[in-house]
Amino acid sequence: KEMNPNKGNIAQQLGRVYFRWSSSKLMRLKLFYLICRSQAIIKNLRSIYSKFCRFMGSSIVNRLIDKSYGEIFVGGKDEKVLKKMLLRMKDREIVSVADFAVECLEEGEEDHIPEIIDNLEKSIKAAYDIDKKNMTAFKVSCLETKNFLLQMNSLQFLMQLLEKAIRENKSYLEFYNEVFSYGLNSYLHVSEFTFEQFKKNAQQLFAKLTDNKSNRYQFNLFQLFNQLDAEECLLEMRSIFNTDRNELASLITRSKQLHKNLSQVFDYAKSHNISVMIDAEQTYFQCAIDYIVIGMMAEYNKNDQAIILNTIQLYLKKALGKLDDLLVYSRENNLKFGTKLVRGAYMKEERKRANSFGYEDPICNGQEKTDINYKKCVDTVLNNLKDGDKVLFATHNLPTIDHIGKLTKEIQETKPNVTKNFYVAQLLGIGEPACWLAKDYEFQTAKYIAYGDFNVLLPYLFRRAEESSMVSTIHSQNNLINRELVLRLFRSKMV
């Protein structure tokens, strides 16, 4: 093999990782990286796009973007085109993760949900038809509105704080101060004199969730709403939450419908033995998503393999604690552990929102601390993997892959089959050096492939450009592209 991570600089040894790419495709990727290095362009990318649309017409601009970068970063507009991309990945012995990249629904867009479910099932079928190792991915917010998730998040996060207060034996004042710091005190029916009874009421209510044998994720509203009769649930919840009766009734009804929709997708995935990754989203409604996913994991991760994988963003300060909770919950409930570890996708938005609302920035201060977070989570996962678990390390970072490789070699002395339970993945079009390095370690490699109608993919493409401007490996990848183009130029002159 040409590559050997134990000799010298990794990037130098990777050599011609772009030898499969056409010169035209390389030039387009090089231009993309040049754009990403310009903070002025990235900062104003959406407004620049709008100006070009007004000047040239949106259809022309969209077609130019699609023809220039659609081929590089996305899998096509429908499952038929997607299958061609999946076949290309299979030829390279790369597992595909087909992601129907629908962004968060807004109010009034609920009529699109049946069509979205149909597309999710088509992506599962496409993945299954090409390679049974393939996986799929989607966001919970493509099946419910942002407003619903925000409302659920407020109540669920409050319950999470209460669960933590009971587990850590916090006083009423400690609990209330934490609740107040998040602006959730108006939802509570409790005082210093009723706090003990309040805790007992909550514990008695959620004790009806008989499936959970762990002290993690005990107060799961999504599970409660779907296991209890609507009227009984409404009556019980009104004794805990100070919220409008109609609003609470609407949340219960919509939770039941969301459960039905998710079950339809996961039943279809389970029948094809295809795992589904649930993408992480913004922190201001991620708590609701986590508990929704945990509730579905309790139903679908019971047998031979993890059907559902939840995503943890490791640029968050609390990522390691979240991973520990998921691992403990899975083990204590005899579930297969499933997770995707990523650095994160919403850094600029999260920091801007934290600054606007005056709460602590949830993002780690600097890439170095995020890298430390990632390595700690890698250590936790690899040392606790069991048969049937499924983990995807999503990273373009070469030292991180090197760390995974070195730790895996140590663990293989006692667990020789540990590499069967995890994948190392990159986004389509980004991180070719990382893909090759993972292959050199003989890891199962994967590519995250977004697909869908161009109007659906446009926000995805914008976010890829914004994220790539912060990826430290962009410079080294650009150098590798330059090297490949120069080699081709000299070779053509010699001929």
Side-chain angles (χ1 to χ4, degrees):
K1 296 179 181 178
E2 288 185 22
M3 294 180 287
N4 185 340
N6 297 317
K7 294 181 182 178
N9 183 279
I10 293 172
Q12 289 177 356
Q13 297 163 52
L14 288 170
R16 298 184 62 189
V17 298
Y18 292 104
F19 75 94
R20 295 174 182 268
W21 291 48
S22 69
S23 296
S24 169
K25 195 173 175 182
L26 281 176
M27 289 301 295
R28 281 178 279 151
L29 186 60
K30 181 174 175 59
L31 178 59
F32 173 79
Y33 285 158
L34 288 173
I35 291 171
C36 290
R37 291 172 67 179
S38 170
Q39 288 300 315
I41 294 177
I42 291 298
K43 187 176 180 180
N44 299 289
L45 187 60
R46 294 171 195 267
S47 63
I48 292 171
Y49 166 77
S50 298
K51 288 177 182 177
F52 269 102
C53 285
R54 286 197 297 270
F55 179 70
M56 300 173 63
S58 58
S59 60
I60 294 175
V61 174
N62 289 347
R63 188 171 181 181
L64 282 171
I65 295 173
D66 189 23
K67 292 295 182 183
S68 300
Y69 294 104
E71 175 194 358
I72 296 176
F73 298 114
V74 300
K77 64 179 181 179
D78 55 40
E79 72 279 359
K80 292 180 182 178
V81 184
L82 173 67
K83 279 187 174 183
K84 294 179 182 178
M85 181 63 74
L86 300 186
L87 277 170
R88 285 168 57 188
M89 293 298 110
K90 186 179 181 181
D91 289 343
R92 293 179 60 190
E93 297 182 341
I94 294 174
V95 171
S96 296
V97 182
D99 178 15
F100 186 59
V102 179
E103 297 289 326
C104 196
L105 289 183
E106 298 294 341
E107 293 296 326
E109 295 181 340
E110 295 91 337
D111 290 344
H112 298 304
I113 291 175
E115 181 184 351
I116 292 170
I117 292 174
D118 182 58
N119 278 300
L120 293 176
E121 290 180 345
K122 286 178 179 177
S123 70
I124 292 168
K125 185 65 165 60
Y128 174 82
D129 287 345
I130 301 303
D131 188 342
K132 294 175 178 58
K133 286 185 177 181
N134 287 339
M135 295 169 271
T136 62
F138 68 92
K139 292 179 172 65
V140 170
S141 66
C142 79
L143 296 176
E144 248 303 347
T145 66
K146 185 176 181 179
N147 187 48
F148 166 82
L149 291 171
L150 287 169
Q151 289 177 303
M152 278 290 288
N153 196 78
S154 296
L155 300 183
Q156 185 60 75
F157 188 62
L158 186 57
M159 288 292 94
Q160 187 182 54
L161 293 177
L162 179 60
E163 184 182 313
K164 182 182 175 184
I166 293 172
R167 190 165 62 239
E168 297 177 4
N169 198 28
K170 290 186 176 182
S171 67
Y172 167 76
L173 192 58
E174 290 173 313
F175 170 67
Y176 185 83
N177 285 341
E178 192 168 15
V179 170
F180 184 81
S181 69
Y182 289 103
L184 299 173
N185 50 304
S186 62
Y187 286 101
L188 281 177
H189 266 319
V190 64
S191 68
E192 184 175 1
F193 305 103
T194 61
F195 185 50
E196 292 304 317
Q197 187 61 46
F198 175 78
K199 290 191 291 185
K200 288 179 182 178
N201 290 344
Q203 287 173 308
Q204 288 172 0
L205 173 60
F206 286 94
K208 297 178 181 181
L209 301 178
T210 54
D211 292 340
N212 191 356
K213 300 178 180 65
S214 173
N215 66 348
R216 314 297 169 97
Y217 299 106
Q218 283 186 320
F219 296 172
N220 192 324
L221 289 177
F222 183 72
Q223 282 182 304
L224 189 76
F225 290 170
N226 283 286
Q227 290 188 21
L228 297 188
D229 173 80
E231 283 301 320
E232 178 189 359
C233 189
L234 186 60
L235 183 65
E236 296 277 9
M237 295 306 296
R238 287 281 289 164
S239 67
I240 295 177
F241 292 123
N242 179 28
T243 187
D244 181 75
R245 188 183 191 281
N246 292 334
E247 182 181 306
L248 193 54
S250 174
L251 286 179
I252 294 169
T253 301
R254 293 174 71 169
S255 291
K256 290 182 180 295
Q257 184 59 50
L258 177 58
H259 182 272
K260 182 180 177 181
N261 293 337
L262 287 170
S263 296
Q264 182 177 337
V265 176
F266 293 139
D267 282 340
Y268 193 80
K270 187 176 180 180
S271 69
H272 289 78
N273 209 30
I274 294 290
S275 293
V276 180
M277 297 179 191
I278 304 300
D279 288 332
E281 304 190 48
Q282 292 90 336
T283 55
Y284 51 89
F285 53 81
Q286 183 61 44
C287 179
I289 291 172
D290 286 335
Y291 276 79
I292 288 168
V293 176
I294 290 294
M296 302 309 294
M297 281 180 156
E299 299 178 41
Y300 288 90
N301 285 10
K302 290 180 178 180
N303 299 319
D304 297 334
Q305 70 158 325
I307 295 295
I308 303 172
L309 284 71
N310 197 23
T311 300
I312 299 176
Q313 300 186 102
L314 303 184
Y315 67 4
L316 297 174
K317 296 172 183 175
K318 297 180 179 180
L320 186 57
K322 185 175 172 179
L323 176 65
D324 287 337
D325 285 345
L326 180 58
L327 189 57
V328 169
Y329 175 85
S330 298
R331 295 293 179 247
E332 291 181 349
N333 285 289
N334 296 317
L335 303 175
K336 299 303 180 184
F337 175 67
T339 191
K340 179 181 74 171
L341 301 182
V342 300
R343 275 180 166 74
Y346 305 97
M347 183 184 293
K348 288 184 177 180
E349 181 183 349
E350 294 284 7
R351 285 189 163 151
K352 183 178 179 181
R353 194 174 192 277
N355 185 56
S356 298
F357 285 84
Y359 58 81
E360 182 186 354
D361 184 354
I363 310 295
C364 291
N365 186 20
Q367 183 178 328
E368 184 179 349
K369 291 187 177 179
T370 299
D371 290 343
I372 292 171
N373 240 10
Y374 206 119
K375 288 182 179 180
K376 286 181 178 178
C377 288
V378 165
D379 295 351
T380 298
V381 167
L382 289 180
N383 283 302
N384 287 281
L385 277 180
K386 293 184 178 181
D387 288 342
D389 293 343
K390 187 171 284 188
V391 174
L392 188 134
F393 298 114
T395 179
H396 305 118
N397 187 280
L398 302 181
T400 297
I401 297 173
D402 199 26
H403 177 74
I404 295 170
K406 290 174 181 176
L407 183 58
T408 300
K409 286 183 178 179
E410 295 174 13
I411 294 173
Q412 280 179 321
E413 294 178 8
T414 54
K415 297 179 181 179
N417 296 323
V418 67
T419 56
K420 291 183 178 180
N421 298 105
F422 72 82
Y423 299 79
V424 177
Q426 296 80 39
L427 294 167
L428 182 67
I430 301 177
E432 281 296 295
C435 181
W436 281 88
L437 180 59
K439 277 185 166 295
D440 194 50
Y441 273 116
E442 299 182 353
F443 295 151
Q444 298 181 95
T445 55
K447 282 287 185 182
Y448 219 73
I449 303 172
Y451 85 99
D453 185 81
F454 185 79
N455 291 329
V456 168
L457 288 169
L458 195 57
Y460 172 86
L461 290 171
F462 279 141
R463 202 165 64 249
R464 290 289 81 86
E466 290 165 352
E467 290 168 23
S468 296
S469 68
M470 296 179 282
V471 176
S472 60
T473 55
I474 289 293
H475 182 67
S476 62
Q477 290 182 52
N478 193 45
N479 288 341
L480 288 169
I481 293 171
N482 290 339
R483 175 179 176 174
E484 179 65 28
L485 290 171
V486 168
L487 284 171
R488 292 183 188 187
L489 179 63
F490 275 103
R491 187 170 60 186
S492 65
K493 285 186 177 182
M494 289 176 66
V495 172

